[in-house]
Every structure is written in structure tokens, then in C-alpha cells.
Amino acid sequence: LSVVPDIYSATSRPPSPFRCAGHCVAMFSLFTLCHLAATSPHKTVCDGRACRPGEGNAQGITHGSNPYDIRGGSLKLNPHEPDPASPLYAPLAAAAKDAASKGLVYMCAADYDFREIASNWMRAFVRLGLKNALVYALDAEAHAHLTARGVRSVDGSLAMADFNRTRLARHIQRAEAERHLAAAAVAASGVDVLLMDCSHVLLRDAAPLLHEAAHSVDVSVPRGNCDGRTTPRSPAGCNPNWSLVWLRGAGSAEQRSRAVAHQVAGSGDCR
């Protein structure tokens, strides 16, 4: 699975098309960056009107820069488990099984700021004639916007709100953590899932490649920096790039268990 990285912001020129051989994903950007604030920096109403795309999340600070704000709750662990039978994830698990083709679903997560990017993400699948994709909406407004436009969406706002009990005080932190837990819940339900950024654009169906890898691979992520040191989060001696993750959920119970455990460990906790 080839990945072409390119950082793209709302104020810069849109990225030009990429051409790649084989199965290819063009990666344009990561989640919007948010300022540290005593209250959540994420909003959907700006000056009495609906926030324009990119306006509701303040720009400027990454997840990893001074990442934890003790003004949040006190819980140092994830506030919930990726249990597909739980009230938080049962709707997502059901939607993933309904959308899946040959046991595979493509998924991205988006809040209201990313509603148009998520719509564009889905249009790429429509163009390819693929129906096994869904958006995990991180707020109710994004879910309402997407479903009104015919985009298959699942409302994850309750799971996001559950992070109020944790030390992850900023929206960017909660968004990053929750989308990975949600993907783990999909895998735990017995469905293979490719978790993408909503700014990834699929140029060709990756299913044949993923199905071929499914016989021997539990988790696949792009390789980051490699220093040879192995840890629970980087067992191969390389830091994984968690913006694109494939989890083997439709395989054996052992594969599924390993994939979910690795995903939860890789997504980190609230310390």
C-alpha cells in the first residue's frame, strides 16, 4: 500500500493529483491542530452561525506539544474499552458489518470542521464504485450534516464526551484517541478495517492487497522513524505512523485479539 505524504492546509493551494502504480492512497493532511484552552477548543457555532469548515478548531499546536492538560478529568486510562457490544460502539459495529464487502470496511473520522473533507473522502469511493466505506462522526453536527448528504455516518459524539473524565482536555487529543478506539471496536466485531484520515483520497481499491496480506498480517501501519529499539508500541523497532491503520478483524479469534490489543496499545492512554 503506497502512501504519498503531503501537508495541505485550508489556506494553501489544493494538492495536485498523484499517480502511483498499484494500490495507492494519497495522504494530504492530518487532523486540524488545536490551541491549548481551559475549555474545549472545538465548537460548531461561531458568532451565532454554523462554523465554516476549518473555523471551529483553533490552529497552532500539535497533539504532541505539551500534550496533557491536567485541567481535564483525572482518569489516566482510556475511558472505555473497544467493546463492539457496548452501547457506545454497537451502532458502529452494526454499520460496519452492513457496509463491509468481503469482510472489509474503509473508515475515517471527522468532526464538523472536517465535514466537507469527509464528504470528499466518500466521493472518492463513489467514483470507484465502492460502497464499503463509512465516516465516524466525532460530533452530532457532523453526523447530521453527512447523513443529510447521503454519506454513511455513525454518530460517535457520546464516546467523545466520555473523554471528559480523562486528562485529555483538548479536542485534538480526544479525536485522535477515539478514532483509534473506534477502529479497534470495528475489528473486535469481526470486520477488517482500514482506518484512514479523511484527507486521504483512495485512487484504487486496496482490497486485493489487503486480502492477500490477511493470511499472515494482524496490523499494518506506515513505517515512521526506525531506531531498532522495540517497545510495545513499536515492536518492529520502528515508530508507526498511526494516520493509516489496517486491522485484521475478520480472521481468526487469535488474529482479532492481537490486532485489537496492538491498536489499543498504539493509540496510547491518557497519561
Side-chain angles (χ1 to χ4, degrees):
L1 187 64
S2 302
V3 179
V4 182
D6 186 30
I7 298 301
Y8 165 64
S9 69
T11 58
S12 66
R13 179 176 57 85
S16 58
F18 292 94
R19 292 182 180 178
C20 342
H23 306 287
C24 180
V25 174
M27 183 169 73
F28 296 144
S29 69
L30 300 177
F31 273 103
T32 301
L33 306 180
C34 301
H35 283 296
L36 179 64
T39 58
S40 174
H42 174 66
K43 56 185 178 181
T44 58
V45 177
C46 300
D47 298 326
R49 53 165 174 77
C51 295
R52 293 184 290 269
E55 187 180 14
N57 296 337
Q59 300 279 327
I61 187 168
T62 69
H63 180 283
S65 300
N66 187 25
Y68 303 115
D69 182 0
I70 60 173
R71 288 173 289 189
S74 60
L75 187 64
K76 295 182 179 180
L77 301 174
N78 289 321
H80 46 260
E81 295 295 324
D83 179 3
S86 69
L88 289 178
Y89 291 127
L92 175 62
K97 288 185 177 181
D98 182 61
S101 174
K102 297 182 179 179
L104 171 67
V105 68
Y106 297 94
M107 186 176 97
C108 80
D111 61 22
Y112 194 59
D113 255 18
F114 277 71
R115 60 193 184 274
E116 297 300 340
I117 298 179
S119 295
N120 183 68
W121 177 84
M122 185 62 77
R123 280 193 288 270
F125 289 91
V126 173
R127 185 177 65 246
L128 293 172
L130 301 176
K131 299 181 180 179
N132 57 328
L134 64 86
V135 177
Y136 186 59
L138 299 176
D139 52 47
E141 292 83 357
H143 175 62
H145 177 92
L146 293 168
T147 53
R149 285 155 180 76
V151 175
R152 188 192 297 265
S153 172
V154 177
D155 188 352
S157 58
L158 291 179
M160 281 288 288
D162 201 26
F163 277 89
N164 289 334
R165 301 188 293 123
T166 75
R167 295 183 67 179
L168 297 188
R170 285 176 288 163
H171 179 71
I172 180 63
Q173 299 169 318
R174 300 175 183 188
E176 291 284 5
E178 177 51 33
R179 68 176 184 148
H180 287 292
L181 286 176
V186 172
S189 74
V191 175
D192 289 346
V193 56
L194 182 66
L195 176 64
M196 308 167 66
D197 275 1
C198 62
S199 50
H200 293 169
V201 176
L202 197 70
L203 304 181
R204 188 175 300 177
D205 188 10
L209 177 65
L210 297 177
H211 289 318
E212 181 179 354
H215 300 291
S216 57
V217 177
D218 302 329
V219 178
S220 180
V221 296
R223 185 173 59 188
N225 296 327
C226 298
D227 56 17
R229 293 181 296 178
T230 60
T231 69
R233 297 187 186 184
S234 54
C238 299
N239 296 322
N241 185 338
W242 289 100
S243 63
L244 182 66
V245 184
W246 177 73
L247 301 174
R248 176 64 167 152
S252 66
E254 290 78 11
Q255 277 188 305
R256 185 159 52 249
S257 178
R258 288 193 299 264
V260 170
H262 188 78
Q263 175 73 346
V264 173
S267 64
D269 55 33
C270 303
R271 290 175 290 185

